[in-house]
Every structure is written in C-alpha cells, then in structure tokens.
Amino acid sequence: MYGVFALVGILLWSSISKTFFLPSLWTLEMAQFTMVAYYILGGPYSIQMGSNVRMDLLYGGWRKHTRLWVDCITVFCLIFYLGVMLYGGWDSTSYSLMYGERSPTAWRPYLWPIKVIMCFGIFMMIMQCTSELFKDILRLRGEEV
C-alpha cells in the first residue's frame, strides 16, 4: 500500500523538476522500478486476502465441488508457470550480479536490485499459491479450512 505513495512522490518530483528545474534522469526508471516492486510484492498478499479477480462468467454458476476442482487445476498451472518464471528470473539475476548489468538508458542504474525483488516476489507467490492449493485439496476432501 505504501508503494503507491513512493510512486506518487517520484512522479510528483518528476513533474516539479521538469517544470521548474532541469529534468531528472532517474525519475522515469525509478517510477517503473517502484511500480514493478509494488505489483510483484502485492500479488502474494492479494491472493492471501482473497482479493484477486476471477472471471465469473461461468465460474459463479458452477457447483461448489466443480469450482474447487477448477481452482485446484488453475492454481497448479499457476504454480508451474511461476516456477518457470522463477527459474528464468534466477538465471537472469545471477547474470546481472555476475556481470554488473546496467540499464541502457542515460541514468544507467544497476538492474540486479529489481531482479532480486522480482525473484523474491515470485517465490512468495509460489508459496502463497501452494498454500491455496493445499486449502483447496482439503476443501475437496470435505474438511474445513
């Protein structure tokens, strides 16, 4: 939630510096990095709170048992997808750390900090999705969670 305030502060400074001073080189990329961190780290929290969005066109009309099966299948697919993302992200992060990869812009920030945040967020998302999968399996078995 506080990431939005950081993003607004960065964009406010960008507007002020472009209007009254020389434009800052770092504001656009820093706003992008802040938004990525906000989005990636907010995903696991969103799933934990149950505030993720579902396509309710067909889902709402199904029986509870059918919904639980569909939830199990989709969460399993999501875990697989996130695992592939984490594998690629880890490889990219290690490359970035090893060679000191920088952004090709005028500001040229190091890219490893945002890549580490992305890997951490994807890992946390996998953990939260695994928890949801176990909860769905328990609900399919008729146990209360």
Side-chain angles (χ1 to χ4, degrees):
M1 167 174 103
Y2 298 115
V4 171
F5 294 120
L7 180 63
V8 167
I10 292 167
L11 293 175
L12 181 65
W13 176 253
S14 176
S15 298
I16 290 171
S17 71
K18 285 178 185 175
T19 304
F20 299 111
F21 313 112
L22 291 174
S24 299
L25 293 176
W26 58 271
T27 53
L28 177 64
E29 255 179 317
M30 197 65 199
Q32 290 172 344
F33 290 166
T34 305
M35 192 63 206
V36 166
Y38 175 74
Y39 179 77
I40 290 286
L41 297 176
Y45 181 73
S46 172
I47 289 181
Q48 181 184 19
M49 295 291 116
S51 58
N52 53 317
V53 178
R54 295 181 190 268
M55 182 62 178
D56 206 17
L57 183 64
L58 301 173
Y59 188 85
W62 292 339
R63 294 177 309 145
K64 183 178 180 181
H65 196 297
T66 306
R67 282 185 280 179
L68 287 172
W69 270 108
V70 169
D71 285 345
C72 284
I73 293 167
T74 56
V75 168
F76 182 76
C77 291
L78 179 60
I79 291 170
F80 175 76
Y81 173 74
L82 290 170
V84 171
M85 290 275 292
L86 185 60
Y87 176 77
W90 184 259
D91 190 42
S92 179
T93 302
S94 64
Y95 174 86
S96 186
L97 282 167
M98 191 179 308
Y99 295 105
E101 182 183 19
R102 290 177 170 256
S103 175
T105 61
W107 183 38
R108 296 190 42 78
Y110 287 105
L111 292 178
W112 67 263
I114 195 64
K115 289 183 178 187
V116 168
I117 290 171
M118 288 174 63
C119 286
F120 177 73
I122 292 169
F123 175 75
M124 294 305 291
M125 186 77 140
I126 290 172
M127 293 293 104
Q128 189 58 49
C129 288
T130 304
S131 168
E132 293 298 317
L133 179 63
F134 288 144
K135 288 178 193 175
D136 288 338
I137 290 171
L138 288 174
R139 286 184 191 115
L140 271 173
R141 294 177 59 192
E143 300 178 26
E144 280 299 315
V145 180

